[in-house]
Amino acid sequence: MDPKDEIKQKLDILDLVSEYVVLKPSGSTGFKGLCPFHSEKSPSFHVSQDRQNWHCFGCNDGGDCFSFVMKMEGMTFPEALMHLGKKVGVEVRRLPTAETNTRSRMLQANDLAQKFYRKVLIESTKASLARSYVETRQIPFELAERFGIGYATDDWDTLSQFLLKQSFSEGELVQAGLSMRRKQGTGVIDRFRHRLMIPLRDHHGNTVGFTGRSMPGDEQGPKYMNSPETPVYSKSHLLFGLDLAKRPTRDAGFIVIVEGNLDVVASHKAGIENIVASSGTAFTQEQLELLKRYTSTIVFAFDSDAAGLKAAKKGMSLARALEFDIRAAILPEGVKDPDELVQTNPDLWKSLVEHSVPIMQFLIAHTTRGRDLKQIDDKRAVARELLPALGEMSSVVEREHWLQVVADLLQISADQLRPSISTSSTSTTSSTSTTSSTSATSLTKSEKARRLLLGYIVKTPDAFDTFRKRLEKAFQGEELWITLYKLAADTYDSGSQPAQKTYFSRIQDLISGHPQQASLFALLDTSMFMADETFQDLPPQKVLEHIDQLFCMLDEEFTSQKRVVLARELRQAEATGDSATISALMSQLNE
Ligand SMILES: [Zn+2]
C-alpha cells in the first residue's frame, strides 16, 4: 500500500488535531474548537472523525491530516509524510535530496551525542564530580532522564572519536556543532569539555544541539555555552522545553516563560510542565509564532527587581502584536530565579504561576515604585514608561481600562492622556487575523444553499433518486458546480462498490486526478461541514422541510434571473420592431 494511504488508515485525525486544539463534540460525529490558524473567540474550526478531515469556516481552509500538519508545523508534504509515518509506525522511505540528507545526518549525530553524554554521566568513573553536582542541584534521576541530561568529560576528543567510529565524517561533526578542527595539526576535538550537557530539543523532541553548563569551581570559559547555529539548530527558533510543554500547555490554557533552561528543569520537579525558556536570548517573532500554535496566554516570570524586564520588553511588544494575553509571575524579593525558588519552596513557585497578574498591573507597580507621583518629573517619567505599552494594546476595552488606571495614578483625566498614546504601530502585524473571519459568512444565499444541498445528499445518498430532478436544476449555471454535481451523480449511479467505502470517499476517489481537484475538494469539504453544522441537531422531518426551502429559494432565484434576461431581450425586440420575437418572449415571460 502507498504510505500515504497506509498512514491515513492508521491515524485518527481526531488524535492528531487534539495535540494542538481543544476539541469539543459538535453533533453526533463532529468536533469543533478554536482555530489554530487564525485568532478567534468562538470556535469555527471543525473536525469530522467520519470523513477524517477538517475545515475552518473562519479562514475557509480545510483538508486532511497531511494538510493539517503541513500548516501547523510549517512542513512540506514529504516532511509531513515522514512525520506522520513515524507517529503511526509506517515506514516512509527517506527522500534522497541533499538538504534533507544533511538535516537527518545532523539530527542523527546530535541524537547519538546525547545518548553518549547521558551514558557517561550515569556510568563513567570520570563523571563522579558531575554526578554529585547533579545531586546538589537536586535533579532526581527521573528528571535528568526526561531532559536527557548528560556529561562531557574533560578529555579532548572522546565524543569525536566515538562518532567517527559511527561513520560520521570530521566535516559532519564540525557542521553539527559537536566538534572543532584542531588549531594545529589535523583532526577534530570535542567542542564541549567538562560540562553538564543539557540537550536542546526542537518542538518535535529531536535533539538539535546542547547547552553546556560549566562545573562548579571551573572558571574557564562562560558559565553556559550553547551549540553554534547549524542546519538543525537556530537560536531564534528554539524554545527550550516546548517538546514536553505542548500538551500540558493545552490543558492549562497558558504557558510560562522563564530565562534559564535549568529553570524549566526545576519547574518540572514542582509539577509545572507548561513552561519554556528562551535560553537567555530576547524573544523572537518566530518563537512567539511557534507558541501561538499552543496557547494565546503567556506568563513571564520576573524577579522582584525585574532585572530581566528590560530584555523581556521587546518580547512583550511582539507578543502584543500577535494578540497574546500577557501576564506576569513575580518572584519574591531576594530570589533570583525559579530554579532557586524550587529548591527552597516549590509550592510557592507553583502558586505564583497559578496566580499570575496582568502584565500592566506588574508594569505599573514596578514603574511607580520609589517615585513620588506628586512631583512633575516623576509623573512624566512614569507616563513615558507606561504609555508605549498602552499604545500596543490591540483591544480597545483593555486599553481604555488601563488608560483609566494610569490616568488616576497621574491624577489627570483619561481624555487628556488619550492623545499621547500612539496606537498606529500595532494594526499592521495583526491584520491577518482580524480580516480572515468574514470569508465564510460572506457567501451569498444561493452559494450557501448549494453547499447545504450537496452536503445533505452526500450524507444521505438514499434520497438521491427522490431529489434528482431538483438537484440537476439547483446545480445548473456555474461550471464548477456542474462538474461537482456530475461527479456526485456519476458516483451514485455506479453503485455502492467497494462496500467498505462511503459515498463521500468514493466521490473523493473520482475527484482526485481531476484538473480542478483542489477547488472541487475544497467545495466538497465546505459543503460537508456546513451540512454537519446545519442539519446535525434537526429531526429528519425538519431536515426535509429545510431542504425543500432551499430548493424553492434556488428556484425563485433562477426564475427571477430568467425574468431579467427575458425582459432585456423583450426591450431589444421592441426597439427593432421584431413582432414574432416579441410575442414569443411575452409568452415565455407569462409562463
Ligand atoms: Zn481558521
Side-chain angles (χ1 to χ4, degrees):
M1 198 193 285
D2 177 14
K4 186 184 168 193
D5 292 334
E6 204 182 338
I7 289 167
K8 275 197 161 181
Q9 210 174 64
K10 286 191 174 171
L11 182 92
D12 185 354
I13 194 159
L14 201 64
D15 293 338
L16 174 70
V17 175
S18 296
E19 285 178 28
Y20 307 89
V21 183
V22 182
L23 291 170
K24 295 204 174 77
S26 155
S28 50
T29 63
F31 291 84
K32 65 179 175 180
L34 295 175
C35 177
F37 306 123
H38 84 275
S39 154
E40 62 177 3
K41 296 268 188 300
S42 57
S44 48
F45 182 84
H46 293 249
V47 176
S48 164
Q49 199 170 17
D50 280 358
R51 298 188 301 272
Q52 290 291 308
N53 60 3
W54 61 277
H55 184 83
C56 172
F57 287 104
C59 7
N60 216 356
D61 202 352
D64 58 11
C65 54
F66 296 106
S67 65
F68 182 78
V69 278
M70 282 162 74
K71 232 175 129 73
M72 203 72 214
E73 302 287 3
M75 288 175 170
T76 60
F77 180 73
E79 285 170 336
L81 205 61
M82 297 274 292
H83 176 72
L84 294 181
K86 212 163 124 191
K87 236 184 176 61
V88 293
V90 171
E91 205 193 328
V92 179
R93 233 172 295 130
R94 221 169 274 280
L95 288 142
T97 71
E99 194 195 342
T100 50
N101 239 335
T102 308
R103 262 189 68 86
S104 76
R105 292 290 285 173
M106 299 295 103
L107 290 178
Q108 276 172 36
N110 273 288
D111 181 53
L112 282 174
Q114 185 272 319
K115 292 189 171 113
F116 181 85
Y117 289 141
R118 178 85 191 119
K119 201 171 149 66
V120 168
L121 178 67
I122 299 171
E123 293 174 1
S124 171
T125 48
K126 290 178 176 174
S128 56
L129 185 66
R131 281 193 291 271
S132 65
Y133 176 58
V134 170
E135 215 163 282
T136 53
R137 290 205 72 120
Q138 303 182 29
I139 301 172
F141 184 87
E142 188 279 324
L143 198 59
E145 190 73 20
R146 191 185 310 175
F147 284 91
I149 295 171
Y151 173 64
T153 60
D154 207 6
D155 303 315
W156 284 100
D157 61 0
T158 27
L159 178 77
S160 300
Q161 288 307 327
F162 166 74
L163 289 174
L164 287 171
K165 280 195 202 98
Q166 309 288 320
S167 83
F168 285 93
S169 68
E170 288 180 356
E172 282 177 323
L173 298 184
V174 172
Q175 199 183 8
L178 298 166
S179 306
M180 298 186 297
R181 297 221 178 266
R182 281 186 200 275
K183 288 209 176 73
Q184 276 158 356
T186 54
V188 291
I189 52 166
D190 295 352
R191 173 179 291 271
F192 296 95
R193 286 172 34 226
H194 193 39
R195 281 174 183 270
L196 191 71
M197 297 302 286
I198 305 152
L200 302 172
R201 296 190 294 231
D202 66 14
H203 61 289
H204 306 301
N206 299 313
T207 299
V208 295
F210 293 88
T211 291
R213 165 74 166 84
S214 65
M215 286 307 201
D218 182 15
E219 304 303 327
Q220 282 186 344
K223 193 162 151 194
Y224 291 97
M225 192 168 106
N226 278 356
S227 291
E229 303 258 321
T230 70
V232 291
Y233 171 54
S234 155
K235 194 170 64 185
S236 61
H237 285 73
L238 190 113
L239 283 164
F240 180 83
L242 186 56
D243 56 319
L244 301 172
K246 288 191 280 191
R247 201 170 271 267
T249 297
R250 215 202 57 206
D251 294 342
F254 65 93
I255 197 158
V256 184
I257 294 167
V258 289
E259 262 186 74
N261 298 351
L262 286 170
D263 294 329
V264 173
V265 177
S267 295
H268 270 245
K269 203 167 60 170
I272 302 165
E273 297 182 2
N274 51 324
I275 188 164
V276 290
S278 58
S279 307
T281 60
F283 241 70
T284 65
Q285 176 99 11
E286 289 84 2
Q287 289 170 326
L288 285 162
E289 278 170 0
L290 191 58
L291 279 186
K292 193 78 201 212
R293 298 176 185 173
Y294 309 104
T295 184
S296 294
T297 305
I298 50 184
V299 177
F300 282 99
F302 293 112
D303 53 11
S304 57
D305 60 6
L309 180 60
K310 214 172 156 213
K313 269 195 173 157
K314 186 177 162 241
M316 277 184 228
S317 299
L318 288 169
R320 280 199 195 92
L322 288 170
E323 299 185 348
F324 274 102
D325 180 11
I326 313 166
R327 305 179 66 85
I330 301 138
L331 297 167
E333 228 159 295
V335 173
K336 88 180 173 313
D337 55 33
D339 187 14
E340 189 184 319
L341 185 56
V342 172
Q343 313 309 345
T344 52
N345 194 345
D347 289 341
L348 178 58
W349 173 224
K350 206 170 173 178
S351 150
L352 288 171
V353 163
E354 274 157 16
H355 302 103
S356 63
V357 298
I359 191 74
M360 269 315 277
Q361 188 180 326
F362 166 70
L363 287 178
I364 290 169
H366 180 258
T367 316
T368 52
R369 195 182 329 161
R371 284 202 163 113
D372 178 3
L373 290 178
K374 290 192 185 65
Q375 300 298 322
I376 179 69
D377 285 348
D378 279 353
K379 268 194 194 187
R380 223 184 272 140
V382 168
R384 202 166 41 233
E385 280 190 43
L386 294 179
L387 294 185
L390 287 176
E392 284 168 7
M393 289 177 185
S394 53
S395 152
V396 184
V397 179
E398 200 192 354
R399 188 165 63 234
E400 284 296 316
H401 171 83
W402 291 110
L403 177 71
Q404 193 61 55
V405 174
V406 175
D408 288 350
L409 209 68
L410 301 175
Q411 290 166 309
I412 62 170
S413 79
D415 288 337
Q416 281 173 296
L417 199 57
R418 198 173 289 107
S420 343
I421 303 173
S422 124
T423 56
S424 55
S425 61
T426 51
S427 52
T428 46
T429 36
S430 61
S431 59
T432 44
S433 54
T434 45
T435 51
S436 57
S437 59
T438 48
S439 42
T441 45
S442 64
L443 290 175
T444 64
K445 258 177 146 182
S446 60
E447 282 169 337
K448 206 174 160 191
R450 284 168 161 180
R451 282 170 172 78
L452 287 175
L453 286 175
L454 184 81
Y456 169 74
I457 208 68
V458 176
K459 287 159 84 75
T460 330
D462 288 346
F464 206 105
D465 288 326
T466 321
F467 290 117
R468 188 185 286 262
K469 276 257 133 35
R470 300 182 85 179
L471 286 167
E472 262 164 33
K473 208 173 158 199
F475 294 111
Q476 66 186 337
E478 255 178 77
E479 198 215 335
L480 195 66
W481 273 114
I482 295 172
T483 310
L484 185 55
Y485 172 70
K486 197 173 173 306
L487 288 168
D490 288 351
T491 310
Y492 177 76
D493 291 337
S494 66
S496 48
Q497 287 299 320
Q500 76 274 18
K501 286 208 166 183
T502 61
Y503 180 38
F504 171 76
S505 60
R506 278 184 279 120
I507 298 177
Q508 280 189 316
D509 289 349
L510 211 57
I511 291 177
S512 64
H514 191 281
Q516 282 173 296
Q517 62 167 356
S519 321
L520 291 167
F521 274 132
L523 200 54
L524 178 64
D525 276 357
T526 15
S527 302
M528 299 308 290
F529 279 102
M530 273 175 75
D532 284 350
E533 271 282 88
T534 312
F535 301 130
Q536 64 197 4
D537 298 325
L538 295 179
Q541 190 50 40
K542 286 269 176 253
V543 174
L544 284 175
E545 282 169 26
H546 198 128
I547 293 295
D548 190 55
Q549 282 166 8
L550 293 172
F551 278 126
C552 291
M553 200 274 282
L554 285 171
D555 278 349
E556 263 167 47
E557 201 176 281
F558 284 126
T559 313
S560 73
Q561 276 172 3
K562 187 135 197 209
R563 200 177 292 128
V564 172
V565 174
L566 285 173
R568 191 171 52 223
E569 287 173 1
L570 186 62
R571 275 198 304 280
Q572 283 167 349
E574 280 170 345
T576 54
D578 181 349
S579 57
T581 314
I582 292 174
S583 68
L585 288 170
M586 284 294 274
S587 71
Q588 271 191 53
L589 256 176
N590 286 333
E591 205 183 301

